[in-house]
Amino acid sequence: MKYAIELVGITKRFARTVANDNVTLSVSAGSIHALVGENGAGKTTLMETLYGIYQPDSGKIRIHDTEVAIKSPQDSIRQGIGMVHQHFMLVPTLSVLENIILGAEDTRNAFLDLAKTSERITALADKFSLSVPLNEKVQDLGVGIQQRVEILKALYRKADILILDEPTAVLTPQESTRLFGILSELKQQGKTIVLITHKLNEVMEISDRVSVMRKGKIVGEMDTPTTSPQEIAELMVGRPVLLRVEKSKANTGKPVLSISNLSYVDRRGVEILKNVNFSVASGEILGIAGVEGNGQTQLVECITGLVKPTSGTISLNGVNLVGFPVKRVFDSGLAHVPEDRLKRGLVVDFTVKENLILGLHTRQEFNSRLSMRRSAIEQNARMLIKKYDVRPDDPDAIARGLSGGNQQKVIIARELSRNAQLIVASQPTRGVDIGGTEFIHRSIISERDKGKAVLLISADLTEVLSLSDRIAVIYDGMIVKIFPDNKVEESELGLFMTGTKGNGREASLA
Amino acid sequence: MISQILSLAFLAQTIRITVPYALASIGGVYSERGGVTNIALEGIILTGAFCTVVGTYYTGSPLVGILCGVSGGLLTALIHAVVSINIKADQIISGIAINLFAVGITKFVLEILFHSSSNSSRIVGLPHIPMGFIEHQPDVAHLLGNPMVLATIAIIIASQFIIFRTRFGLRLRAVGENPEAADTVGIKVNLYRYYGVMISGVLAGLSGAWLAFDQHSFTDGMSAGRGYIALAAMIVGKWNPLGAAAACLLFGFAESLQIQLQGGGLPTQFIQMIPYIATIIVLAGFIGKAVAPAADGVPYEKEK
Ligand SMILES: Nc1ncnc2c1ncn2[C@@H]1O[C@H](COP(=O)(O)OP(=O)(O)OP(=O)(O)O)[C@@H](O)[C@H]1O
Ligand SMILES: [Mg+2]
């Protein structure tokens, strides 16, 4: 068998952690190789070491049977390696074209030769069906398109080995399908692909072989057709995992959140939410399914008081929240797990214990008016870290240094510790590994069983279907359908999510 | 009074004031586009002026003087580069320290060389290219034929192209907006940041040289806040060379208006406020939101 990549005995230490511990990994040329593992297992570090961002403390790298020294991304680019990073590496204020050529520019008489380059890129884009608007600024584009820009960027540098780090974490189901089409096409043309992902159905669907990492080591490697999601999950976590969510029937009480005739027009005058009506009762989870960008973000912002709706009411236990300042909204009995954990969920340069009291910091138990009660804050952190299994179990760790999954656990821990009547959870498990996801799902269900009302917003259909007691579908700012239970086919949901069905269109289709 | 404003002399005055602003301001554009905040411009101008005077005085050659001024500016900027890029210290503090240091050191050497704590001996001015058609107005002719005026115009236009149309400019902008992204495509982030700061040193040094020739001597603290005005102009001009130059021209215009209006019956305090009021009005009213390069002022670290 011919290998495109051979990593032999790679070890990479950071100040406190051994991210890769004597890792050996071989990837056959022309195959799609999946790399899976829990948050913090060391997948990104391994691939970034291959890409030259980090220097391994020991170990060898062979590319196409030749041992190579990769001291910087420049070296790996020269070896034909391209990487699409977990957090995109694009310059938002530059155009798509500028981003693609950056670092590999063609010039004519000292000036950038944009005409010739656009032709080359257009040809490349056509070959792999990667259409992108070359002259628009990256900051104006959605994540799906940004990702295509990243792939083109690698192909433009003549990459024949392509590493994708959690490419579908930020994509809608439709965009993911499209991405997989592109990856198959790339494989057809002889490229080698390494795919890091947390979604086992993706591993099963597209990969030829899969390697499992745990705590910096490779703990298993098998041909995809010979394995099962269950086996992979167990290897990853080191114990049997429930891939299915187990929950009892909802014990529904009276409505906690009632939204009526809610509309929101944004600053540019675009109508984002159109006459939204629904309610969530105590003891139930209402899931909102929808393709991202159909008003979910603004719906949550209206409920949490971050923006003021144009009309309509949002009542929590009978009190209309509209017009309340954010603090009063939360004090009325709301907890919020925001969709963007780095922007709204955490102060990334604060410690874990500080993050665990954000928004609760004015409570008497943590604040004696004159100063913060440090021992209470410390104790609170120790208790929550233990209860939610946050790793490392260090109240003084800086939030920035935690893996994505553990950052998310900190947010969940804080929000659930508010003991609020209503929990609004947006994308609660995005980028979180299987073990963490299982844990977060169980926490949400146990809150429901305590009689809390839960509003769940997720782009992950599997999550919506498995957690929700009822499912509402949002499309173009409208709630187009509310299913009274979660016994609905994904394909059926998809039709409502894309606007093919719903709002009277059912009749015409039937 | 209108005729006074529209006169050639007034135009000349405006240009005379604008040139040093524009040079320093465009220097600031290079530095900040690359991600290094440069309030050290003030001190660089001062050092540039001082070195120009010393070079010209001892050789009698304005050309050697300019070279000295540029080198002095470059060296001062290099201090800022080392402190900001390698040592990763706070860039504002580094800038302030350099500005204070420049005041002290120039004064100190002034004492030694010229035995005066306030000004140097007189130096020759720049030769000018003859401008036949307005030679009857010597002030104006000397200014428009001044090689540094012509060079400044060339620098403004060239910078606009360099920043937005060349490989160097593209990389510089990338490094100032998202250094991680630049790093992952193999661009040497710190090298480009050095280039940016060094160019700002050369240009602010030239700005100082202009002041030196304009006054035919060095006087204590002669940069007189021009570095800060240049920074303000850079922001008003949204970190674009042409925009920054236009903002400098506006300041130059407001300042010559102020000079022109003095003694015209209005209270001087009011008149002296004109350039600043103009700044505030322009900033608040016409320019819209100016967005700095995202990584401006943030040192680049690989393994956080
Ligand atoms: N630049 C860094 N500096 C210090 N520690 C780091 C750095 N990058 C990663 N680590 C640590 O190394 C370990 C492996 O991290 P890595 O990002 O490779 O995990 P991962 O498998 O990609 O996880 P995820 O699924 O959350 O992306 C973690 O403990 C992490 O905290
Ligand atoms: Mg990762």
Side-chain angles (χ1 to χ4, degrees):
Chain A
M1 180 124 33
K2 273 189 73 73
Y3 290 121
I5 310 166
E6 286 166 280
L7 301 173
V8 187
I10 300 281
T11 297
K12 174 68 193 170
R13 274 183 215 94
F14 289 115
R16 291 217 215 169
T17 35
V18 184
N20 293 150
D21 186 358
N22 195 18
V23 172
T24 295
L25 175 73
S26 305
V27 177
S28 308
S31 72
I32 298 184
H33 196 113
L35 184 59
V36 300
E38 294 191 278
N39 292 123
K43 309 176 294 290
T44 299
T45 306
L46 185 66
M47 287 302 125
E48 292 195 334
T49 303
L50 169 62
Y51 189 65
I53 292 178
Y54 300 128
Q55 294 305 303
D57 297 309
S58 63
K60 278 187 292 203
I61 297 174
R62 278 197 288 271
I63 301 294
H64 293 299
D65 293 331
T66 323
E67 185 168 334
V68 292
I70 294 180
K71 297 241 173 301
S72 70
Q74 242 168 342
D75 292 337
S76 68
I77 292 167
R78 216 172 292 129
Q79 295 296 333
I81 302 172
M83 181 157 181
V84 177
H85 298 263
Q86 190 166 4
H87 307 286
F88 291 158
M89 291 293 178
L90 296 170
V91 184
T93 52
L94 298 185
S95 71
V96 167
L97 180 62
E98 286 174 321
N99 266 287
I100 293 176
I101 64 174
L102 183 64
E105 309 87 348
D106 276 328
T107 53
R108 215 175 88 202
N109 308 329
F111 288 105
L112 294 171
D113 191 352
L114 296 181
K116 194 175 111 200
T117 332
S118 334
E119 261 173 47
R120 258 185 71 194
I121 296 174
T122 310
L124 204 58
D126 287 346
K127 186 169 159 196
F128 296 102
S129 347
L130 285 158
S131 59
V132 292
L134 285 182
N135 295 314
E136 275 183 47
K137 283 190 178 173
V138 163
Q139 62 192 7
D140 300 330
L141 305 176
V143 282
I145 303 179
Q146 292 192 16
Q147 187 166 65
R148 271 176 256 152
V149 176
E150 284 277 31
I151 296 174
L152 267 178
K153 207 167 114 185
L155 296 176
Y156 180 77
R157 288 163 174 73
K158 305 202 161 60
D160 81 323
I161 297 171
L162 191 62
I163 306 162
L164 296 115
D165 195 350
E166 291 188 39
T168 58
V170 291
L171 298 188
T172 63
Q174 288 79 356
E175 284 171 329
S176 299
T177 311
R178 176 158 182 187
L179 172 70
F180 283 177
I182 294 167
L183 295 187
S184 307
E185 180 66 33
L186 288 168
K187 181 183 150 183
Q188 291 288 307
Q189 309 220 10
K191 312 258 180 213
T192 307
I193 294 166
V194 179
L195 177 73
I196 300 179
T197 180
H198 286 297
K199 299 180 185 164
L200 298 185
N201 56 341
E202 295 178 356
V203 174
M204 300 311 291
E205 183 183 334
I206 198 166
S207 73
D208 299 303
R209 204 170 155 76
V210 50
S211 295
V212 184
M213 284 187 84
R214 174 148 44 94
K215 295 188 177 153
K217 292 193 170 82
I218 299 269
V219 292
E221 197 173 307
M222 45 265 180
D223 286 325
T224 310
T226 67
T227 183
S228 67
Q230 196 61 43
E231 185 187 12
I232 300 174
E234 282 195 36
L235 275 169
M236 266 168 72
V237 186
R239 62 175 164 85
V241 221
L242 277 180
L243 290 179
R244 221 163 18 83
V245 182
E246 295 224 315
K247 66 185 207 313
S248 53
K249 213 173 136 29
N251 191 358
T252 313
K254 60 176 185 16
V256 172
L257 174 73
S258 312
I259 292 188
S260 47
N261 306 323
L262 181 73
S263 296
Y264 174 64
V265 180
D266 76 0
R267 253 187 299 171
R268 291 168 301 167
V270 183
E271 209 182 351
I272 308 267
L273 293 173
K274 302 167 188 166
N275 197 29
V276 169
N277 289 285
F278 67 84
S279 66
V280 190
S282 85
E284 76 161 347
I285 299 175
L286 175 73
I288 298 214
V291 176
E292 241 168 303
N294 276 284
Q296 295 95 319
T297 306
Q298 290 78 5
L299 175 62
V300 171
E301 286 177 345
C302 285
I303 298 174
T304 52
L306 291 168
V307 301
K308 196 165 175 282
T310 314
S311 62
T313 58
I314 300 168
S315 60
L316 183 57
N317 289 324
V319 183
N320 186 3
L321 298 179
V322 172
F324 279 16
V326 175
K327 184 163 186 307
R328 222 173 130 198
V329 171
F330 279 83
D331 290 346
S332 311
L334 180 108
H336 175 209
V337 178
E339 63 175 5
D340 187 336
R341 59 175 161 252
L342 297 180
K343 221 156 61 190
R344 291 209 162 141
L346 297 168
V347 179
V348 285
D349 289 314
F350 278 15
T351 59
V352 168
K353 70 177 177 202
E354 288 166 336
N355 272 293
L356 281 170
I357 59 152
L358 284 186
L360 306 170
H361 56 281
T362 51
R363 288 197 183 171
Q364 260 194 8
E365 49 175 317
F366 300 126
N367 190 326
S368 67
R369 280 177 195 274
L370 221 53
S371 67
M372 305 300 291
R373 298 183 198 272
R374 290 172 48 184
S375 64
I377 293 170
E378 179 88 18
Q379 241 174 8
N380 174 65
R382 291 204 181 284
M383 188 265 292
L384 290 176
I385 285 174
K386 187 143 182 271
K387 182 165 171 200
Y388 289 89
D389 187 30
V390 178
R391 278 177 261 177
D393 59 348
D394 175 6
D396 293 307
I398 303 292
R400 185 193 292 282
L402 266 53
S403 77
N406 283 298
Q407 289 176 341
Q408 188 70 12
K409 283 191 209 160
V410 170
I411 296 168
I412 301 260
R414 176 185 70 219
E415 292 305 317
L416 299 189
S417 77
R418 284 174 179 276
N419 203 12
Q421 258 303 300
L422 172 68
I423 298 158
V424 178
S426 289
Q427 323 292 353
T429 60
R430 172 177 284 173
V432 177
D433 63 38
I434 294 181
T437 300
E438 184 197 18
F439 185 82
I440 289 172
H441 284 172
R442 266 197 277 128
S443 307
I444 290 176
I445 289 170
S446 98
E447 291 301 312
R448 175 200 79 158
D449 292 344
K450 282 187 223 155
K452 304 291 169 58
V454 180
L455 179 65
L456 168 77
I457 297 97
S458 176
D460 182 349
L461 274 192
T462 330
E463 178 165 84
V464 172
L465 282 167
S466 57
L467 279 186
S468 312
D469 299 307
R470 289 189 300 141
I471 298 175
V473 184
I474 191 167
Y475 171 72
D476 194 23
M478 293 174 282
I479 299 290
V480 290
K481 177 83 183 172
I482 298 183
F483 294 97
D485 52 34
N486 62 354
K487 303 200 172 31
V488 44
E489 291 291 319
E490 253 185 63
S491 56
E492 174 80 359
L493 267 184
L495 290 177
F496 283 97
M497 283 166 63
T498 50
T500 321
K501 262 186 167 189
N503 274 16
R505 251 167 285 184
E506 280 159 280
S508 61
L509 274 173
Chain B
M1 197 170 77
I2 296 289
S3 64
Q4 265 178 4
I5 293 173
L6 295 178
S7 71
L8 276 171
F10 181 83
L11 174 74
Q13 172 85 305
T14 302
I15 292 176
R16 201 174 62 78
I17 297 172
T18 303
V19 167
Y21 285 160
L23 285 169
S25 190
I26 290 186
V29 170
Y30 280 99
S31 179
E32 303 222 343
R33 279 281 178 179
V36 181
T37 306
N38 197 350
I39 64 160
L41 287 179
E42 176 71 11
I44 300 175
I45 296 174
L46 191 63
T47 334
F50 184 76
C51 295
T52 305
V53 168
V54 173
T56 314
Y57 180 76
Y58 284 103
T59 64
S61 154
L63 187 64
V64 174
I66 288 183
L67 285 176
C68 290
V70 166
S71 316
L74 183 61
L75 277 175
T76 316
L78 275 172
I79 301 175
H80 186 55
V82 172
V83 174
S84 310
I85 301 170
N86 299 100
I87 304 176
K88 306 187 200 298
D90 187 283
Q91 300 174 6
I92 300 290
I93 294 178
S94 165
I96 292 173
I98 287 174
N99 292 345
L100 294 174
F101 175 73
V103 172
I105 187 93
T106 49
K107 210 164 163 171
F108 178 70
V109 184
L110 190 68
E111 282 263 14
I112 297 175
L113 297 181
F114 299 98
H115 311 291
S116 156
S117 62
S118 59
N119 54 270
S120 72
S121 310
R122 200 179 153 78
I123 56 162
V124 295
L126 279 177
H128 78 281
I129 302 162
M131 292 272 158
F133 61 104
I134 41 170
E135 287 297 330
H136 63 280
Q137 283 238 16
D139 276 5
V140 180
H142 281 212
L143 195 76
L144 296 186
N146 186 318
M148 278 187 76
V149 173
L150 303 175
T152 302
I153 295 170
I155 286 170
I156 293 168
I157 296 168
S159 294
Q160 186 74 16
F161 281 102
I162 290 172
I163 299 261
F164 293 106
R165 297 283 178 79
T166 65
R167 173 192 324 216
F168 171 78
L170 178 63
R171 292 182 175 187
L172 187 71
R173 283 183 287 142
V175 156
E177 286 287 345
N178 187 349
E180 285 87 6
D183 194 9
T184 54
V185 291
I187 293 171
K188 297 199 165 60
V189 174
N190 287 349
L191 181 69
Y192 276 84
R193 291 194 159 175
Y194 258 90
Y195 288 150
V197 178
M198 283 163 69
I199 295 175
S200 81
V202 168
L203 294 181
L206 267 182
S207 164
W210 171 274
L211 295 180
F213 290 124
D214 196 46
Q215 297 191 10
H216 292 281
S217 69
F218 180 84
T219 50
D220 177 32
M222 73 192 287
S223 50
R226 286 185 177 80
Y228 302 116
I229 300 273
L231 273 184
M234 171 195 77
I235 294 169
V236 171
K238 295 187 172 174
W239 288 267
N240 287 350
L242 281 183
C248 290
L249 193 60
L250 180 78
F251 289 149
F253 174 81
E255 225 177 293
S256 26
L257 195 64
Q258 170 210 327
I259 295 166
Q260 200 72 240
L261 290 179
Q262 256 158 16
L266 286 163
T268 43
Q269 289 87 343
F270 176 74
I271 292 170
Q272 280 167 353
M273 280 169 15
I274 290 176
Y276 307 102
I277 290 176
T279 314
I280 292 169
I281 292 174
V282 169
L283 260 182
F286 299 104
I287 296 300
K289 201 171 166 224
V291 185
D296 195 5
V298 189
Y300 179 55
E301 277 172 279
K302 258 191 159 156
E303 301 191 7
K304 281 206 188 91

